[in-house]
Amino acid sequence: MDYQGLIEEVYHEVQAENLKGKVADYIPEIANVDPNQFGIALVDLKGNVYGVGDHQVPFSIQSISKVHTLTMVFNVFNTKLWSRVNVEPSGDPFNSIAQLEYEKGIPRNPFINAGALVITDALCSKFENPIDQLSEFINELAGETCVKINPDVMNSEKNHGERNTALAYFLKSYKNFNNPIEEVLNVYFSQCAIEMSCVDLAKSFSFLANDGFSIFADRQILSESSARRINALMLTCGFYDEAGEFAYRVGLPGKSGVGGGVAAVMPHKFSIAVWSPELNEKGNSIKSIRALELLTDKLSFSLF
Amino acid sequence: MDYQGLIEEVYHEVQAENLKGKVADYIPEIANVDPNQFGIALVDLKGNVYGVGDHQVPFSIQSISKVHTLTMVFNVFNTKLWSRVNVEPSGDPFNSIAQLEYEKGIPRNPFINAGALVITDALCSKFENPIDQLSEFINELAGETCVKINPDVMNSEKNHGERNTALAYFLKSYKNFNNPIEEVLNVYFSQCAIEMSCVDLAKSFSFLANDGFSIFADRQILSESSARRINALMLTCGFYDEAGEFAYRVGLPGKSGVGGGVAAVMPHKFSIAVWSPELNEKGNSIKSIRALELLTDKLSFSLF
Amino acid sequence: MDYQGLIEEVYHEVQAENLKGKVADYIPEIANVDPNQFGIALVDLKGNVYGVGDHQVPFSIQSISKVHTLTMVFNVFNTKLWSRVNVEPSGDPFNSIAQLEYEKGIPRNPFINAGALVITDALCSKFENPIDQLSEFINELAGETCVKINPDVMNSEKNHGERNTALAYFLKSYKNFNNPIEEVLNVYFSQCAIEMSCVDLAKSFSFLANDGFSIFADRQILSESSARRINALMLTCGFYDEAGEFAYRVGLPGKSGVGGGVAAVMPHKFSIAVWSPELNEKGNSIKSIRALELLTDKLSFSLF
Amino acid sequence: MDYQGLIEEVYHEVQAENLKGKVADYIPEIANVDPNQFGIALVDLKGNVYGVGDHQVPFSIQSISKVHTLTMVFNVFNTKLWSRVNVEPSGDPFNSIAQLEYEKGIPRNPFINAGALVITDALCSKFENPIDQLSEFINELAGETCVKINPDVMNSEKNHGERNTALAYFLKSYKNFNNPIEEVLNVYFSQCAIEMSCVDLAKSFSFLANDGFSIFADRQILSESSARRINALMLTCGFYDEAGEFAYRVGLPGKSGVGGGVAAVMPHKFSIAVWSPELNEKGNSIKSIRALELLTDKLSFSLF
């Protein structure tokens, strides 16, 4: 398969479509990013890396980091985790608090904010230096030191963090939060502020395309079965209230972030990361999603 | 692959687990079915059929027929369909009316009742004898005359049909219903009353495992791309508010019915139908789901 | 008290304010009414009638008739009624179906549509010719033959009745509906199509200001205690999701209709009816509510 | 009117009914109160005080203090307040966060927790020593130094305050919260921890029965019109999701607290406070509500 030719073709077709969205504006560091940037990186199972456009420019991966923390935590708690967070699509916006009330403090899934806060809380229960250990873990997955936590983004997240703080207190009121709230939120805002390039991000997702084995870390990260389960979760819950649409149009397990990145995997074939800052109404990168749709069309395969 | 050995192994393991659920009790014809029945049929891409247990006993496929009607309608309307019904998981029970109100008469997906009523309404707009043509279509997919509409079930559905009637009128109030309500409901209740065996059901789903081509009908039923999309929809929306759980545990696109049946596909490998009447709390067959979970564990592959 | 002077003063002040709203447009008979009409009629406890503006012009009283049917039914069933319908403000639009689902088929109160349908169903259980008997009852309350059911309005209601039909089927699915749906809906649409003038409407509400005794019918219509309870219900639930606002601004028990009418009472003082077709965003007559607000300000009393 | 005889009669009848509820158990100071206590105090417009049972025992007034803070704040901000908080009944439990989300950070009314937090936030914006000034204000209304803030209750509220903290952060995320959260919550938890007897509480509500003039403070506390409006708000919103039921059964404006107290007024007649710790399912004192129902039945008047 000529992956390099493929992603270049996709890249140019998407550019020609001249899609317009809206950069996330809730924190200045993301609002001020050059909106025209666009990059794609694909990593096959042998570890070959293909890239086009701004694929080496670090960007704020935001919610994509929720896959990395879930991986760390899932490895420790395994299915016990599901007593604290569910595995169902939410049908509501990512930061909804209403559903959390109806479901008595058990978040719908680990990728909406409430669920991700539970995961980060679990991380803080088992790792002494959660931020450092998360960075090291992602560096290991990518096979090189690549993670940088942007302190300005981190501080901005904190200063706009009232809603996540509300979610944390709300979880605590349901006894579904064990560590000091400020400490967990610091980790949470830090993980949101991680910056990586498409290349490194695609490498860090490679084990999910490879039955849990990372060719870059050269070790089994998760059991085969657990890796499959994380993929299932990404497929049903990885794109907020656009998960069904993404499954329908693209058909790959993936996770998006408000910085405009999307990381996805085609199991037993490749992992891929796409980045472009302009978002659609649902908060997903308009060019990234279009690129992935074109890619699966051209490959004429997807999961399905 | 020794599919016969595999499904027998699964069959016996499930039987040994002695799982208990509750037969649906809203209509007598289903409430009075022998709850201990259990069958599995698997059809590979060459058309070989494997079966175990009560795989040749006809049962009420109920909501599984929503996949057949969607296929007929999708072939006619294609993506125009999505202006009338969405493609997102619902997170609510299958017969919820609240969500329909919040979303102004556009059902969440074609598999919850409101969405299925829209699909049946669309069917009535394009097919003159919708019930006969649906029966013929399924017979063609199965490669033999197998569909029987049980008139007692149909009448019982009608007599307990207030909620579906409410949904139909509600859709009409949003101008999302075009044909006379009673006519559409007759078709809807008839499709719910279809009886088939696991063998025939698995055969009728075979084209979805085979990029849209039915080996039994010997023709392309849907385009490859459309077949993939129906699989995506089944994965994200096929099991009511347990879709995430099914994707997580089983990882196959499928559709369940309140009669205890589940039909699913492993794309490019096989289609499968499992049936056992006792249901879990979410209304899905407890043995059928367990069987599919064991099957994908043993195969150690799924979509993901 | 110079009631005539008072309502004239109110009338002229409201006219001078030049308030603009929007006539209800869902049925032609109401949409085509002259929007500039405005009338006030007040009836004191001695039966003296005061009027200004279009107070003798019959108009479509619509939902105000829900007070009349509730009175008939409450007299028969008394507190047993509250097992079928609640007495709490709804906080939702008058025709919401979502709340009905959350609360398992028990409508929030007798003045939202779902609750009024239950009341009309109860009416049909106890009265052989419910429409005739309702008309006679209102005529008796008004002390003269005044009720006319407009057949065009009735037919239009029926033709736009999908949502109410959906509510009726939904209630039936919860076993909270006893008579044939079409029959009850006919009564319901007929009561909505009643036409009366402000004068007759104010007279028909007079017993609620007078501890249950109607000076026009010359008999005790309801017990004192029941009359107080209907007033309490009107205060907390009489204005859809604007009940709190009306209590806050006006402070009288009352009921509005989408035709632009409002009937209200000041217990132990007077009953009053105001009519003007243009509505605010919540569906209540903009001039009628303003008139009542000015009136209680000028009187410097209200309930409170 | 023999008010002393009346409340004694009511007291004995309620005692004879042997009603059983459940003491609030979320903080130990309230959970450990003697559940059999029961007192009534009534204050007429001349300032005469009538009492029976435990009417002189101080108890935790909890949410009843929301009327006192609203009075202080309403005097300062007047109708500008209603841009930050609505005046509609909520139909949801007092501490619901879902409704706040649907309505974009504008609480339904000043008596649910979210609304009361906005009021306390407004209090902190205008009063330098809000707690001291609130205590002084209530003392003035009662005509004597009676307010004690129980530090143990205050600390327990704080330690169980996650949900209120979540509400505060959630309000802040909608820019409907101006002061430091911890500071406002301290005031909020303090006001909940106020202890007063029925006698003093009834005296502190006297101005609401007297067109805004307090006979004990010997001054106009609120304009007549504002006093009426607070009464209207208490009637429609004073009893959480039981407001309609209370209006229906009792028909007086009032406010309840989870400590088992209820304060109410009969405009132009009297104010009254009743206390008994055991609560019904909706969180209102079972004996206090029954006492008020009997009282208005015996008087055969209410608002209506």
Side-chain angles (χ1 to χ4, degrees):
Chain A
M1 174 64 65
D2 173 16
Y3 283 128
Q4 184 62 33
L6 177 70
I7 62 175
E8 285 180 11
E9 201 181 314
V10 164
Y11 177 87
H12 292 299
E13 286 190 33
V14 172
Q15 287 295 50
E17 287 183 4
N18 207 16
L19 302 165
K20 284 289 160 206
K22 219 168 148 273
V23 170
D25 57 6
Y26 75 112
I27 62 170
E29 290 75 16
I30 291 186
N32 295 332
V33 150
D34 171 4
N36 296 314
Q37 294 174 93
F38 179 32
I40 307 176
L42 186 152
V43 175
D44 68 18
L45 292 199
K46 293 191 184 134
N48 297 313
V49 177
Y50 310 91
V52 63
D54 302 306
H55 61 293
Q56 287 176 316
V57 179
F59 65 92
S60 192
I61 69 167
Q62 295 285 327
S63 291
I64 304 174
S65 64
K66 292 171 182 172
V67 179
H68 302 112
T69 52
L70 176 63
T71 301
M72 289 174 79
V73 166
F74 196 30
N75 237 343
V76 176
F77 292 92
N78 217 288
T79 55
K80 271 184 293 183
L81 207 52
W82 311 130
S83 62
R84 294 189 58 191
V85 57
N86 220 318
V87 296
E88 292 301 326
S90 90
D92 275 332
F94 65 99
N95 57 5
S96 172
I97 205 165
Q99 201 167 53
L100 193 56
E101 179 165 30
Y102 295 135
E103 300 181 1
K104 315 260 181 233
I106 305 297
R108 264 298 168 96
N109 65 62
F111 295 142
I112 54 171
N113 285 16
L117 284 165
V118 166
I119 298 301
T120 301
D121 178 55
L123 189 79
C124 291
S125 295
K126 288 290 173 183
F127 294 87
E128 279 201 18
N129 301 299
I131 280 298
D132 291 350
Q133 289 172 281
L134 171 62
S135 299
E136 281 160 31
F137 177 61
I138 302 178
N139 285 336
E140 187 197 2
L141 290 178
E144 63 183 303
T145 301
C146 60
V147 167
K148 194 191 142 221
I149 293 171
N150 184 324
D152 295 337
V153 174
M154 198 275 186
N155 279 323
S156 286
E157 298 282 353
K158 209 175 194 166
N159 292 335
H160 292 76
E162 292 95 356
R163 194 154 179 143
N164 284 316
T165 311
L167 285 168
Y169 275 100
F170 204 55
L171 288 163
K172 198 166 190 72
S173 78
Y174 284 107
K175 316 245 175 272
N176 196 6
F177 208 91
N178 301 321
N179 297 284
I181 284 176
E182 202 183 329
E183 183 186 319
V184 176
L185 286 173
N186 265 337
V187 177
Y188 184 78
F189 295 136
S190 297
Q191 78 183 59
C192 290
I194 288 174
E195 292 184 350
M196 298 171 72
S197 68
C198 285
V199 166
D200 292 318
L201 186 57
K203 285 157 75 184
S204 80
F205 266 61
S206 172
F207 75 101
L208 290 168
N210 198 22
D211 288 336
F213 183 86
S214 168
I215 199 167
F216 301 103
D218 195 25
R219 69 174 178 95
Q220 191 76 24
I221 302 299
L222 279 180
S223 73
E224 188 186 320
S225 149
S226 295
R228 281 202 272 141
R229 270 130 173 91
I230 287 184
N231 286 341
L233 273 167
M234 289 199 295
L235 192 87
T236 51
C237 315
F239 290 82
Y240 314 129
D241 44 348
E242 202 177 29
E245 180 85 10
F246 188 79
Y248 176 84
R249 284 174 52 192
V250 178
L252 299 182
K255 182 75 202 79
S256 67
V258 80
V262 175
V265 297
M266 177 66 210
H268 310 128
K269 303 277 186 188
F270 58 78
S271 58
I272 186 167
V274 193
W275 169 57
S276 180
E278 292 191 286
L279 310 180
N280 66 17
E281 288 175 347
K282 301 290 181 81
N284 295 311
S285 167
I286 198 161
K287 282 189 185 171
S288 300
I289 287 186
R290 180 63 181 138
L292 289 165
E293 186 182 20
L294 277 178
L295 182 95
T296 50
D297 273 0
K298 283 177 193 298
L299 285 169
S300 103
F301 61 65
S302 71
L303 278 194
F304 306 105
Chain B
M1 174 64 66
D2 173 17
Y3 283 128
Q4 184 63 33
L6 177 70
I7 62 175
E8 286 180 10
E9 199 181 316
V10 164
Y11 177 87
H12 292 298
E13 285 189 31
V14 172
Q15 288 294 50
E17 287 183 4
N18 207 17
L19 302 165
K20 284 287 161 208
K22 216 166 150 277
V23 170
D25 57 5
Y26 76 111
I27 61 170
E29 290 75 16
I30 291 187
N32 296 331
V33 151
D34 171 4
N36 296 313
Q37 293 175 95
F38 178 33
I40 308 177
L42 185 152
V43 175
D44 69 18
L45 293 197
K46 293 191 184 134
N48 298 313
V49 176
Y50 310 91
V52 63
D54 302 306
H55 62 292
Q56 287 176 316
V57 179
F59 64 94
S60 192
I61 69 167
Q62 295 284 326
S63 291
I64 304 173
S65 65
K66 293 171 182 172
V67 179
H68 301 113
T69 53
L70 176 62
T71 301
M72 288 173 80
V73 166
F74 195 31
N75 236 343
V76 176
F77 292 92
N78 217 289
T79 57
K80 270 184 292 184
L81 205 55
W82 311 130
S83 63
R84 294 187 60 190
V85 58
N86 220 319
V87 296
E88 293 300 327
S90 89
D92 275 332
F94 65 99
N95 58 3
S96 172
I97 205 165
Q99 199 167 55
L100 194 56
E101 179 164 33
Y102 295 135
E103 298 180 3
K104 315 261 180 233
I106 305 297
R108 265 295 168 99
N109 65 63
F111 295 141
I112 53 171
N113 284 16
L117 284 164
V118 167
I119 297 302
T120 301
D121 178 55
L123 189 80
C124 291
S125 294
K126 288 290 171 182
F127 294 86
E128 279 201 18
N129 301 301
I131 280 298
D132 292 348
Q133 289 171 280
L134 171 61
S135 299
E136 281 161 30
F137 178 61
I138 302 178
N139 286 335
E140 187 197 3
L141 290 178
E144 63 183 304
T145 301
C146 59
V147 166
K148 192 192 144 222
I149 294 172
N150 184 323
D152 296 336
V153 174
M154 198 275 186
N155 279 323
S156 286
E157 298 281 354
K158 210 175 195 163
N159 292 335
H160 292 76
E162 293 96 354
R163 195 157 178 139
N164 284 316
T165 311
L167 285 167
Y169 276 99
F170 204 56
L171 287 162
K172 198 167 189 71
S173 77
Y174 284 107
K175 317 243 175 272
N176 197 6
F177 208 92
N178 301 321
N179 297 285
I181 283 176
E182 203 183 328
E183 184 186 319
V184 176
L185 286 174
N186 265 336
V187 177
Y188 184 78
F189 294 136
S190 298
Q191 79 184 60
C192 289
I194 288 175
E195 293 184 348
M196 298 172 73
S197 68
C198 286
V199 166
D200 292 317
L201 185 56
K203 284 157 78 184
S204 79
F205 266 61
S206 172
F207 74 101
L208 290 169
N210 198 23
D211 289 335
F213 183 86
S214 168
I215 200 166
F216 302 102
D218 195 25
R219 69 172 177 95
Q220 191 75 24
I221 302 299
L222 280 181
S223 73
E224 187 187 320
S225 149
S226 294
R228 279 201 274 141
R229 270 133 173 88
I230 287 184
N231 286 342
L233 273 166
M234 289 199 294
L235 191 86
T236 52
C237 315
F239 290 83
Y240 314 128
D241 45 348
E242 202 176 31
E245 179 86 9
F246 188 80
Y248 176 85
R249 284 174 53 192
V250 178
L252 299 182
K255 183 77 201 77
S256 67
V258 80
V262 175
V265 297
M266 178 66 213
H268 310 127
K269 303 276 186 185
F270 59 77
S271 59
I272 186 166
V274 193
W275 168 58
S276 181
E278 292 191 285
L279 310 179
N280 65 17
E281 287 175 348
K282 301 290 181 80
N284 295 312
S285 166
I286 198 160
K287 282 189 186 171
S288 300
I289 287 187
R290 181 63 182 139
L292 289 164
E293 186 182 19
L294 276 178
L295 182 96
T296 50
D297 273 1
K298 283 178 193 297
L299 286 169
S300 102
F301 62 66
S302 72
L303 279 194
F304 306 105
Chain C
M1 175 63 67
D2 173 16
Y3 284 128
Q4 184 62 34
L6 178 70
I7 62 176
E8 286 181 11
E9 200 181 314
V10 164
Y11 177 87
H12 292 299
E13 285 189 32
V14 172
Q15 288 294 50
E17 286 182 5
N18 208 16
L19 301 164
K20 284 287 161 209
K22 217 166 150 274
V23 170
D25 56 6
Y26 75 111
I27 61 171
E29 291 74 16
I30 291 187
N32 295 333
V33 151
D34 171 3
N36 296 314
Q37 294 175 95
F38 178 32
I40 308 177
L42 185 152
V43 175
D44 69 17
L45 293 199
K46 294 192 183 133
N48 297 313
V49 176
Y50 310 91
V52 63
D54 302 306
H55 61 292
Q56 288 176 314
V57 180
F59 64 93
S60 193
I61 68 167
Q62 295 284 327
S63 292
I64 303 175
S65 64
K66 292 170 182 171
V67 178
H68 301 112
T69 52
L70 176 62
T71 300
M72 289 174 80
V73 166
F74 195 30
N75 237 343
V76 176
F77 292 92
N78 216 287
T79 55
K80 271 184 291 183
L81 206 54
W82 311 130
S83 63
R84 294 187 60 191
V85 58
N86 220 319
V87 296
E88 293 300 325
S90 89
D92 275 334
F94 65 99
N95 58 3
S96 172
I97 205 164
Q99 199 168 55
L100 194 55
E101 180 165 31
Y102 295 135
E103 300 180 1
K104 316 261 180 231
I106 305 297
R108 264 296 169 100
N109 66 62
F111 295 141
I112 54 171
N113 284 17
L117 284 164
V118 166
I119 299 300
T120 302
D121 178 56
L123 189 79
C124 292
S125 294
K126 288 290 172 180
F127 294 87
E128 279 202 17
N129 300 300
I131 279 299
D132 292 348
Q133 289 171 279
L134 171 62
S135 299
E136 282 161 30
F137 178 60
I138 302 179
N139 286 336
E140 187 197 4
L141 291 178
E144 61 183 306
T145 302
C146 59
V147 167
K148 194 191 143 221
I149 294 172
N150 184 322
D152 295 336
V153 173
M154 197 275 185
N155 280 323
S156 287
E157 298 282 353
K158 210 174 193 165
N159 293 335
H160 292 77
E162 292 96 355
R163 193 155 179 143
N164 284 316
T165 311
L167 285 168
Y169 276 100
F170 204 56
L171 287 163
K172 199 168 189 70
S173 78
Y174 284 107
K175 317 246 176 269
N176 196 6
F177 207 92
N178 301 322
N179 297 285
I181 283 175
E182 202 182 328
E183 183 186 319
V184 175
L185 286 173
N186 265 336
V187 178
Y188 184 77
F189 294 137
S190 298
Q191 78 183 59
C192 290
I194 288 176
E195 293 185 348
M196 298 170 73
S197 68
C198 286
V199 165
D200 292 317
L201 186 55
K203 284 157 77 185
S204 80
F205 266 61
S206 172
F207 74 102
L208 290 168
N210 197 22
D211 289 336
F213 183 86
S214 167
I215 200 166
F216 301 103
D218 194 25
R219 69 172 176 96
Q220 192 75 24
I221 301 300
L222 279 181
S223 73
E224 189 188 318
S225 148
S226 294
R228 281 201 272 140
R229 268 133 173 90
I230 287 185
N231 287 342
L233 274 166
M234 290 200 294
L235 191 87
T236 52
C237 316
F239 290 83
Y240 313 129
D241 46 347
E242 201 176 31
E245 180 86 9
F246 188 78
Y248 176 85
R249 284 174 53 191
V250 178
L252 299 182
K255 183 75 203 77
S256 67
V258 81
V262 175
V265 297
M266 177 66 213
H268 311 127
K269 304 276 187 187
F270 59 78
S271 59
I272 186 166
V274 194
W275 170 56
S276 181
E278 292 191 285
L279 310 179
N280 65 18
E281 287 175 348
K282 301 290 181 80
N284 296 311
S285 166
I286 197 161
K287 282 189 187 170
S288 300
I289 286 187
R290 181 63 181 139
L292 289 165
E293 186 183 20
L294 276 178
L295 182 95
T296 50
D297 273 0
K298 282 177 194 298
L299 285 169
S300 103
F301 61 66
S302 72
L303 279 194
F304 306 105
Chain D
M1 174 64 67
D2 172 18
Y3 282 128
Q4 184 62 33
L6 177 70
I7 61 175
E8 286 180 10
E9 200 181 314
V10 164
Y11 177 87
H12 293 298
E13 285 188 33
V14 172
Q15 289 294 51
E17 287 182 4
N18 206 17
L19 302 164
K20 284 288 158 206
K22 220 168 145 271
V23 170
D25 57 4
Y26 76 112
I27 61 170
E29 290 75 17
I30 291 186
N32 296 332
V33 151
D34 171 4
N36 296 313
Q37 294 175 93
F38 178 31
I40 308 177
L42 185 153
V43 175
D44 68 19
L45 293 197
K46 292 191 184 133
N48 297 313
V49 176
Y50 310 91
V52 62
D54 302 307
H55 61 293
Q56 287 176 316
V57 180
F59 64 93
S60 192
I61 69 168
Q62 294 285 327
S63 292
I64 304 175
S65 64
K66 291 171 183 173
V67 179
H68 301 113
T69 52
L70 175 62
T71 301
M72 289 174 79
V73 166
F74 195 28
N75 237 342
V76 175
F77 291 93
N78 216 289
T79 55
K80 270 185 293 183
L81 205 54
W82 311 129
S83 62
R84 294 188 59 190
V85 57
N86 220 318
V87 297
E88 292 301 326
S90 90
D92 275 333
F94 65 99
N95 58 3
S96 171
I97 206 164
Q99 199 167 55
L100 193 56
E101 179 165 31
Y102 295 136
E103 299 180 1
K104 315 261 180 233
I106 304 299
R108 264 298 168 99
N109 65 63
F111 296 142
I112 53 171
N113 285 15
L117 284 165
V118 166
I119 298 302
T120 301
D121 178 54
L123 188 81
C124 292
S125 294
K126 287 292 172 180
F127 294 87
E128 280 203 16
N129 300 300
I131 280 298
D132 292 348
Q133 288 171 281
L134 171 61
S135 298
E136 281 160 31
F137 178 61
I138 301 180
N139 285 335
E140 188 197 2
L141 290 179
E144 63 183 303
T145 301
C146 60
V147 167
K148 195 193 142 218
I149 293 171
N150 183 324
D152 295 336
V153 174
M154 197 276 183
N155 279 323
S156 287
E157 298 282 353
K158 210 174 194 166
N159 292 336
H160 293 76
E162 291 96 356
R163 194 154 179 143
N164 284 316
T165 310
L167 285 168
Y169 276 100
F170 204 56
L171 287 163
K172 198 167 190 69
S173 78
Y174 283 107
K175 316 246 175 271
N176 196 7
F177 208 91
N178 301 322
N179 297 284
I181 283 175
E182 202 184 328
E183 184 187 319
V184 175
L185 285 174
N186 264 336
V187 177
Y188 184 78
F189 294 137
S190 297
Q191 78 183 61
C192 289
I194 288 176
E195 293 185 347
M196 298 172 72
S197 68
C198 285
V199 167
D200 292 317
L201 185 55
K203 284 156 77 184
S204 80
F205 266 61
S206 172
F207 75 101
L208 290 168
N210 198 22
D211 287 336
F213 183 86
S214 167
I215 200 167
F216 301 103
D218 195 26
R219 70 172 177 97
Q220 191 75 24
I221 301 300
L222 279 180
S223 74
E224 189 187 319
S225 148
S226 294
R228 281 201 272 140
R229 270 130 173 90
I230 287 185
N231 286 342
L233 274 166
M234 289 199 295
L235 192 87
T236 51
C237 316
F239 290 82
Y240 314 129
D241 45 348
E242 200 176 32
E245 179 86 8
F246 188 79
Y248 176 84
R249 284 173 52 191
V250 178
L252 299 182
K255 183 75 202 76
S256 67
V258 80
V262 174
V265 296
M266 177 66 212
H268 310 128
K269 302 277 187 188
F270 59 78
S271 58
I272 186 166
V274 194
W275 169 57
S276 181
E278 292 190 286
L279 311 180
N280 66 17
E281 288 176 346
K282 301 290 180 80
N284 295 311
S285 166
I286 198 162
K287 283 189 186 171
S288 300
I289 286 186
R290 181 61 182 140
L292 289 165
E293 187 183 20
L294 276 178
L295 182 95
T296 50
D297 273 0
K298 283 175 194 297
L299 285 170
S300 102
F301 61 66
S302 72
L303 279 194
F304 307 104

